[in-house]
Amino acid sequence: MKSLLIRLTLGLSEQDIISDERSHITDFLAKKYITKKDNIYKFNSKYRAGTLGLIQKDTAYLNVIGENIRDLFIAEGDLGDAKEGDLIIAQRLLGIRGTPRAKIAQIVGRALSYSVAYIISKDEHKSLVNLKTDYPTGVELAQETLDAYDIGDVFKINNQENSIIQKLGNLKDPLVDERIVLAQYNKHDEFDAEVLKIATSFKNVDASKYKNRVDLRDLTFCTIDPVTAKDYDDAIYWDDKKTTLFVAIADVSEYVTPFGTIDNEAIYRSFSIYLPHRSIPMLPRQLSETLCSLQPNVDRLAYVFEMKLDVNTLEVTKSKVYEAIIHSKRRFNYEEIDDFFDGKLKPKNDSEVKIFSWIKKLRIITDKLKEKRLKVGYDFRSNELEMKIDEKSNIVSTTFAKETPSHSLIEDCMLLANKEAASKYTRGIFRIHEEPTQSKIQILYQELAGIGMNIDIKNSMKETITDIQTQAKDMDLETEVDTLIIRSQMQAKYAPLNAGHFGLGFEAYTHFTSPIRRYSDLIVHRLLKAINNNDKEEGSYVLRNIEALSMTISEKEREASSIEIEFTQRKFARWAQNNLNKEFKARITSTEPEYKAEINGEISGARINITASENAVLFEDVTICINKVDIAKAKIFAHVLKSDDV
């Protein structure tokens, strides 16, 4: 709904309306919220759409979406039964002096369309409450219906209709955790039969049918991915004689056409979700793990960036992007390439001899690219948790991934292609990262001063942060301090206009290299193809709703991230419940507004709420005792027994 409201604010073309939106358009027209002119639907000047802000004393502000105007004040008596975060269409109250005002015309969406509830027992009566708040859900159930359920039974709730959609399981069962995190955002693994029918209808690549594509099958492309990966987005090849890097990306846009059935589902998902034990793909697995995936020893369609580098300046002197056919010669995992760099892996055939020859030379280039990049951008160290769970959905082990030379090589190849893609247009999809606000920077400085750092404000933010990181290294707190710095940053997002990327230090940046798992990259491919083909009609289609699309994709990205994070928290809560009253080593990671710690040990990464701190200080190593676990809210509570710092 939010996407529809944004597009109606900016102007929605008749041909861009999808079937599910048609009834809303008809309703809004009848109520004169919107007008239609030249097949463009747009909000009547008297109406605006937005999300309701914090309600105080029965008044609130409407945060208008889709345009940069002042929030609208909604006075006492004009709120109706609207709640904070609800999607609203409001009627502007014109002719009133002072703050722009409005009154609610219609609530068109709740803050959260879906939620999860569970059965509790209180005062010998069962009730259905929200999983995260323990407040009543608004679902009306007769007592005899409630009595038929068990304590801890979990349900997916439709907040629009205040109704139960389905029973998910019971809180006692660890397998219910996955269903809980997906239900909150209405995510699902299965694809509709129509989507699967189309996905399975494509034939294997027959090179003879693609005469207009550049044939790169003789080049020794290879892929380098995690050992568990199945969706291979990218393959690389380095021509050392011509100092030219080829980055071949799965050509998803060849199979997923705009407004098609698969495209509609891909927009809805926007991102693949990666859980410790499996993925929830953006595209059907017939595409994401087979036909689009750049598997070895088979012909695959690719969209290729060919970039010639000046090896002295490390600048791209010439680049072009085009449709091609490749034939990857080898699928490597990161560990294998690291073994090669360490002299532990030898070539087994002629293809590997050639690949190892150019990859060794490419590493010299990418190492220099990284060194150059970090002179203007930032190198933040953050621990990426890797968790293994068993068939019963309980934790087996946790580790923190380390960046290795193979990771760095691929990263800088992809950064170069993404950066080059962003240089090809002035309006489209950009990945922007704005500078942190002064208020957040001041909070960061206060936190760092609290652990004994001397904050010396330099001539530039880059110099100041570099100095802080140098001090952190001397204090053996590199990862912890970088986490604080990251926390002070603005969140990266997608936008139709370029605003630069502060963290990377790039003037322009986008996402081009992962169209199998990110919808943003698919849009970039379509736009670049339209530009290459001088197809103004296709280009105008891609750009027509780019503002709304950028906002929607950014929101979907946050949803996917929230699901991945909450799932691991729920697994940690299960583990903690089995370790009540036991002692563990931990480090204090936050003192404001609450004390929090992170466990370090055989099982690492669990975030703990500290109930008794004894004045523990930030980044102090302590021994804690787990004293309480809230499985419903996935929260672990502990008290500090002693400080381990000498």
Side-chain angles (χ1 to χ4, degrees):
M1 177 59 76
K2 182 178 281 189
S3 173
L4 173 62
L5 297 178
I6 294 170
R7 285 180 287 148
L8 286 173
T9 301
L10 300 167
L12 174 60
S13 174
E14 175 82 44
Q15 60 186 320
D16 293 340
I17 300 172
I18 60 178
S19 57
D20 291 345
E21 297 171 338
R22 183 64 61 182
S23 61
H24 297 300
I25 296 294
T26 302
D27 179 47
F28 294 166
L29 271 174
K31 293 173 179 175
K32 298 184 178 179
Y33 297 160
I34 62 176
T35 61
K36 180 183 180 183
K37 184 179 180 181
D38 298 329
N39 284 328
I40 300 294
Y41 296 89
K42 197 168 185 178
F43 271 115
N44 184 321
S45 61
K46 293 181 180 179
Y47 293 91
R48 289 293 183 272
T51 56
L52 201 63
L54 180 66
I55 298 175
Q56 294 178 312
K57 297 180 180 180
D58 293 324
T59 68
Y61 279 90
L62 184 74
N63 309 127
V64 178
I65 57 177
E67 57 182 336
N68 187 23
I69 66 170
R70 291 177 64 183
D71 294 343
L72 300 175
F73 179 70
I74 299 178
E76 186 176 356
D78 290 333
L79 278 174
D81 65 348
K83 298 178 177 63
E84 180 183 339
D86 284 352
L87 277 173
I88 304 293
I89 293 178
Q91 181 181 349
R92 298 168 66 199
L93 300 177
L94 305 174
I96 300 176
R97 291 187 177 183
T99 303
R101 289 179 55 179
K103 66 178 182 180
I104 293 176
Q106 185 174 332
I107 300 169
V108 293
R110 293 298 181 184
L112 295 172
S113 298
Y114 301 91
S115 61
V116 174
Y118 72 124
I119 301 290
I120 65 167
S121 179
K122 188 174 183 181
D123 300 328
E124 298 183 356
H125 289 284
K126 291 179 180 178
S127 58
L128 184 67
V129 299
N130 185 283
L131 190 76
K132 293 190 173 182
T133 66
D134 280 345
Y135 293 153
T137 61
V139 176
E140 298 289 341
L141 293 177
Q143 192 61 46
E144 56 266 27
T145 303
L146 285 169
D147 288 340
Y149 293 122
D150 295 327
I151 303 299
D153 279 350
V154 184
F155 304 87
K156 180 179 178 181
I157 304 297
N158 183 328
N159 294 331
Q160 310 277 33
E161 301 175 359
N162 286 328
S163 62
I164 291 175
I165 297 177
Q166 68 179 120
K167 181 181 174 182
L168 302 174
N170 190 282
L171 272 182
K172 293 179 182 178
D173 183 3
L175 291 170
V176 81
D177 293 336
E178 179 183 326
R179 299 172 206 142
I180 287 172
V181 297
L182 295 177
Q184 291 173 132
Y185 297 100
N186 198 34
K187 302 293 185 183
H188 47 273
D189 188 6
E190 301 79 12
F191 289 87
D192 291 341
E194 185 181 358
V195 175
L196 293 177
K197 181 179 180 181
I198 297 171
T200 55
S201 69
F202 297 110
K203 306 297 183 183
N204 286 332
V205 175
D206 180 352
S208 66
K209 295 181 179 179
Y210 297 97
K211 298 294 186 181
N212 292 329
R213 284 180 174 260
V214 179
D215 192 340
L216 300 179
R217 288 178 293 172
D218 288 340
L219 302 184
T220 52
F221 277 98
C222 71
T223 60
I224 307 173
D225 293 281
V227 67
T228 57
K230 295 179 180 178
D231 48 355
Y232 313 138
D233 276 294
D234 53 87
I236 58 171
Y237 169 71
W238 170 251
D239 186 330
D240 195 58
K241 290 183 179 179
K242 297 180 179 179
T243 64
T244 298
L245 175 65
F246 294 77
V247 174
I249 305 300
D251 196 354
V252 174
S253 63
E254 178 71 24
Y255 302 100
V256 182
T257 55
F259 294 115
T261 303
I262 299 179
D263 191 47
N264 289 337
E265 183 67 20
I267 291 175
Y268 176 77
R269 298 182 181 222
S270 286
F271 289 86
S272 293
I273 298 167
Y274 294 95
L275 302 179
H277 59 305
R278 71 188 194 98
S279 65
I280 315 295
M282 182 182 80
L283 299 173
R285 296 184 193 278
Q286 291 87 343
L287 294 179
S288 63
E289 296 179 3
T290 307
L291 193 56
C292 289
S293 186
L294 301 181
Q295 297 172 323
N297 305 315
V298 290
D299 291 350
R300 284 290 180 260
L301 304 184
Y303 202 35
V304 178
F305 244 115
E306 182 181 330
M307 297 167 283
K308 182 170 179 58
L309 271 72
D310 183 319
V311 293
N312 295 314
T313 65
L314 299 174
E315 292 293 326
V316 176
T317 58
K318 185 171 64 174
S319 73
K320 55 184 176 180
V321 60
Y322 50 80
E323 297 173 337
I325 298 179
I326 71 164
H327 190 99
S328 174
K329 302 300 188 287
R330 178 73 150 82
R331 184 256 159 153
F332 291 101
N333 59 54
Y334 289 122
E335 289 79 2
E336 288 176 312
I337 296 300
D338 287 324
D339 282 346
F340 164 67
F341 289 146
D342 290 338
K344 300 176 184 177
L345 182 66
K346 303 299 181 184
K348 298 175 183 177
N349 52 49
D350 289 343
S351 289
E352 289 189 12
V353 169
K354 294 176 182 177
I355 291 171
F356 287 162
S357 175
W358 65 252
I359 218 166
K360 185 176 182 180
K361 296 170 183 175
L362 177 60
R363 182 186 174 183
I364 297 171
I365 300 297
T366 55
D367 284 351
K368 290 179 180 178
L369 280 169
K370 181 175 181 178
E371 183 181 354
K372 178 185 177 182
R373 172 168 58 83
L374 294 182
K375 289 180 181 179
V376 291
Y378 296 87
D379 186 17
F380 294 131
R381 298 164 63 98
S382 60
N383 287 332
E384 183 177 340
L385 182 74
E386 293 182 345
M387 177 184 287
K388 289 185 179 180
I389 60 177
D390 60 23
E391 66 279 358
K392 295 181 180 179
S393 198
N394 289 312
I395 293 178
V396 174
S397 64
T398 61
T399 56
F400 287 109
K402 295 181 180 179
E403 184 178 283
T404 66
S406 63
H407 288 84
S408 295
L409 181 140
I410 289 297
E411 180 183 27
D412 271 283
C413 289
M414 298 307 112
L415 288 173
L416 202 65
N418 287 334
K419 183 179 175 183
E420 203 60 26
S423 71
K424 301 296 184 183
Y425 51 82
T426 56
R427 184 166 174 260
I429 290 266
F430 290 94
R431 182 67 168 174
I432 68 169
H433 184 218
E434 298 165 295
E435 289 193 23
T437 63
Q438 280 303 311
S439 60
K440 283 194 171 186
I441 288 296
Q442 288 304 316
I443 292 172
L444 171 66
Y445 292 165
Q446 290 169 13
E447 288 178 313
L448 295 175
I451 62 171
M453 273 198 179
N454 177 33
I455 308 303
D456 184 11
I457 308 300
K458 306 290 186 180
N459 294 327
S460 69
M461 179 75 71
K462 170 66 178 174
E463 291 178 282
T464 303
I465 296 298
T466 300
D467 181 62
I468 288 170
Q469 289 178 312
T470 300
Q471 291 186 60
K473 186 175 183 180
D474 294 338
M475 299 169 71
D476 195 25
L477 292 173
E478 290 175 275
T479 300
E480 290 80 0
V481 168
D482 275 356
T483 299
L484 288 183
I485 296 171
I486 292 169
R487 204 180 293 166
S488 73
Q489 304 293 303
M490 299 288 282
Q491 191 168 22
K493 61 184 179 181
Y494 296 99
L497 297 175
N498 180 37
H501 198 292
F502 172 75
L504 291 172
F506 291 165
E507 291 183 5
Y509 188 66
T510 191
H511 278 163
F512 167 83
T513 54
S514 297
I516 289 177
R517 63 182 180 90
R518 292 188 304 226
Y519 195 78
S520 56
D521 305 50
L522 177 55
I523 291 296
V524 170
H525 282 215
R526 288 173 178 166
L527 179 57
L528 291 175
K529 286 186 177 184
I531 293 170
N532 272 0
N533 297 329
N534 197 28
D535 188 341
K536 295 182 179 179
E537 184 176 344
E538 174 71 9
S540 66
Y541 149 69
V542 174
L543 296 173
R544 208 157 43 225
N545 299 309
I546 203 70
E547 289 85 0
L549 192 59
S550 297
M551 293 180 68
T552 299
I553 294 174
S554 293
E555 286 189 6
K556 295 286 187 179
E557 180 183 30
R558 289 191 287 273
E559 288 181 4
S561 177
S562 296
I563 289 169
E564 293 166 358
I565 292 169
E566 184 177 328
F567 182 82
T568 61
Q569 290 173 338
R570 291 194 172 278
K571 293 299 102 182
F572 277 128
R574 300 278 180 191
W575 168 84
Q577 188 178 47
N578 293 326
N579 288 275
L580 281 170
N581 302 316
K582 292 183 181 179
E583 297 179 12
F584 295 93
K585 301 293 184 182
R587 175 169 283 181
I588 302 297
T589 56
S590 174
T591 57
E592 292 289 342
E594 300 173 306
Y595 279 90
K596 293 184 183 294
E598 188 172 292
I599 285 181
N600 301 313
E602 187 175 337
I603 297 296
S604 296
R607 296 173 184 173
I608 312 296
N609 297 278
I610 301 299
T611 55
S613 66
E614 297 183 358
N615 299 316
V617 298
L618 188 63
F619 300 145
E620 182 180 12
D621 290 318
V622 294
T623 298
I624 63 169
C625 179
I626 297 174
N627 52 32
K628 179 184 174 185
V629 177
D630 188 333
I631 291 294
K633 298 176 183 60
K635 289 188 176 181
I636 308 168
F637 300 89
H639 61 274
V640 175
L641 294 174
K642 64 176 182 177
S643 170
D644 296 336
D645 287 345
V646 178

